[in-house]
Amino acid sequence: MDCSRVNTRLVSIAALLGLALLIPATALSAENYRPRNLIQAQYGGGESEFGLKKVYGYDGNYLGALFFTMGADGNIYIYDGVKGNIKVYGNNGAFVDTIKAVAWQVDLLFPTDMTLPPNGDIYILCETSDAEDRYRVFLKAAGVDSVRNVPVAVPWSFCRSEEGYPQFNSAGIVSDQHENVYLADWRATKSIKLVERGRVLPDSSQLSSLREGIFASTGPFRSFARCNSKVDVKGNPILFDDEGKLVKGWAELPGDSLGTDSLSNVYLQSFVVTDTASSERISKYSPDGRMLAVIDFPRYERSTLTYGKGPWIVGTDGSIYEMLAVRDSVTVRKWERVR
C-alpha cells in the first residue's frame, strides 16, 4: 500500500470539505518561519558549478543537482548527477569542497539518495536496471579517496507493488546518531539495517532486520511513518527512543513523516488542494501532539529530476531546507523560525 498516496488523498478530501486545511497558515501557526536563500550555485565547468544535460526518455527532464542532505556538522551536501560528485557547502552558504562520488550511468546505474552518519562517512544509494540486483550502496569513507561497494541484501518483495512489479525511486537510505545505516522502502514503510555502528552486516542479518516503519530523524528520537494494515492504511507518525521503545503515536495527524529536530518536534509533509490553488505543506508538532507551525510552500517548476528524500530536509535546529534545481541555478533555501 502506498502510504504517501493515501495521505495525499486524505488531505485533499479534508481540503474539499472546508476543514482546517483551508484556514490560512498564519491563523493556525504559533511559530513563524521566514525563508532566505542560503546557497545559490550556477551551472558550468567550475569546481563549485553543477553539470546540466537533457536526459531523453525521462519526460524531457534535465539531469543536474538530484538530491541533497545535511551532515552532523551542519554542512549541506548536494549530489551532482552530471559530474558524478558531491558539492559541499557550509552552514553559512559558502562553497567548501567537492567530493568524489559515483557517476550516473544512463540505463544502468541511477544514484538516488545519500546519507551521512556522524563519523563523516557518505553512503550513496543507487538503483540499477537489473530486476534482480536492483540496489547498490557505495561508501565514501571519511578521509579516504576511493569509493567502495557495500553489499546489500533485500527480500524479493522490497520496493515492489502489491502485484509484484518493481517500483522505481521508492527506496531511500538513512542513518542515525549511532552510525547505523538503513535502507528504506518508502511505499510499504519498511526498513532494513545495512550497517550497525559502522560495521556492515552479513546478508542474513540484513534480511532478518526487516521491520515495519521508516527511520527519519536527526534528533534523539526515532520517527517512523507506518501502515498497520489494509484496513488502517494511513501512515501514522510514531516515535521510538534509542532502545526501540514506543514513546508516542498519533493516529489522527495527517501527512508523511519528514523527520524530527533535536527537541523531538515532529514534521509532517502533506499536499493541500483548494478551489484556487495547490501547495505543499509542512506541519510541525510538539512531542505531545500540539501543532506549533504550518508552512505552505508554492509548487515550483523544477526542470531537473528530484530524487532522494525530496526537496525538503529538517535540520537539527528545526530549520527546514528546500532545494530548487531549475535551469538557471541551484538554490538551497533555508526556512528559519523567527518566533
Side-chain angles (χ1 to χ4, degrees):
M1 179 61 66
D2 185 345
C3 293
S4 61
R5 189 173 301 170
V6 172
N7 288 334
T8 299
R9 190 177 300 124
L10 289 171
V11 173
S12 300
I13 291 173
L16 293 174
L17 290 175
L19 298 178
L21 293 177
L22 291 181
I23 302 174
T26 53
L28 288 172
S29 177
E31 300 178 356
N32 289 328
Y33 278 73
R34 180 174 56 201
R36 67 181 178 91
N37 290 343
L38 180 67
I39 299 169
Q40 193 82 41
Q42 303 300 316
Y43 296 102
E47 183 182 12
S48 63
E49 296 175 326
F50 286 83
L52 182 69
K53 69 179 179 181
K54 187 177 180 63
V55 180
Y56 295 96
Y58 290 89
D59 299 324
N61 280 300
Y62 284 74
L63 187 63
L66 295 187
F67 46 84
F68 77 129
T69 191
M70 175 178 285
D73 53 8
N75 289 342
I76 303 293
Y77 296 74
I78 306 176
Y79 172 80
D80 185 336
V82 174
K83 297 183 178 180
N85 58 31
I86 298 169
K87 310 287 195 296
V88 185
Y89 295 84
N91 53 22
N92 60 354
F95 174 74
V96 175
D97 196 8
T98 297
I99 297 176
K100 178 182 179 181
V102 292
W104 174 290
Q105 300 176 36
V106 175
D107 295 331
L108 181 62
L109 195 67
F110 312 92
T112 58
D113 200 7
M114 64 181 171
T115 189
L116 279 79
N119 62 2
D121 290 346
I122 303 175
Y123 290 86
I124 304 168
L125 171 65
C126 300
E127 295 194 34
T128 77
S129 55
D130 190 321
E132 302 302 324
D133 182 22
R134 295 185 57 211
Y135 301 107
R136 309 270 178 85
V137 172
F138 294 90
L139 168 62
K140 171 62 175 67
V144 178
D145 292 334
S146 60
V147 178
R148 68 179 178 89
N149 183 65
V150 174
V152 176
V154 298
W156 182 88
S157 61
F158 201 79
C159 288
R160 291 180 184 265
S161 66
E162 292 181 350
E163 296 76 22
Y165 295 107
Q167 301 297 303
F168 184 76
N169 195 33
S170 60
I173 190 166
V174 292
S175 58
D176 63 20
Q177 64 270 32
H178 301 300
E179 300 175 9
N180 301 320
V181 179
Y182 307 83
L183 183 66
D185 182 344
W186 296 116
R187 288 180 176 268
T189 58
K190 294 183 181 297
S191 57
I192 294 174
K193 183 183 287 188
L194 305 180
V195 177
E196 186 171 63
R197 298 186 181 274
R199 181 179 62 87
V200 179
L201 296 176
D203 289 359
S204 58
S205 296
Q206 290 185 24
L207 292 172
S208 64
S209 73
L210 179 68
R211 64 169 298 169
E212 192 175 8
I214 299 295
F215 175 83
S217 175
T218 52
F221 290 103
R222 302 182 179 188
S223 173
F224 289 83
R226 182 172 66 177
C227 280
N228 292 325
S229 67
K230 291 185 178 180
V231 177
D232 182 14
V233 293
K234 192 172 77 168
N236 300 326
I238 53 180
L239 286 180
F240 291 89
D241 63 16
D242 285 341
E243 297 178 351
K245 180 182 178 181
L246 178 64
V247 176
K248 182 74 175 178
W250 300 274
E252 71 279 4
L253 300 184
D256 297 326
S257 180
L258 190 63
T260 63
D261 59 26
S262 59
L263 299 177
S264 302
N265 296 314
V266 179
Y267 296 76
L268 303 178
Q269 175 190 344
S270 57
F271 180 60
V272 181
V273 179
T274 69
D275 292 335
T276 58
S278 61
S279 62
E280 303 283 354
R281 169 168 292 181
I282 293 178
S283 304
K284 176 182 178 181
Y285 293 87
S286 66
D288 60 4
R290 291 180 296 108
M291 179 179 283
L292 301 178
V294 174
I295 308 170
D296 285 337
F297 296 82
R299 300 209 72 196
Y300 303 103
E301 288 291 332
R302 292 180 172 87
S303 61
T304 58
L305 300 167
T306 302
Y307 293 129
K309 299 168 184 65
W312 303 285
I313 56 176
V314 177
T316 55
D317 63 349
S319 297
I320 299 171
Y321 296 81
E322 177 186 25
M323 187 173 78
L324 307 172
V326 294
R327 295 183 187 181
D328 60 348
S329 64
V330 176
T331 300
V332 173
R333 187 167 294 165
K334 181 179 181 180
W335 293 74
E336 302 171 297
R337 186 170 66 88
V338 293
R339 73 168 179 87

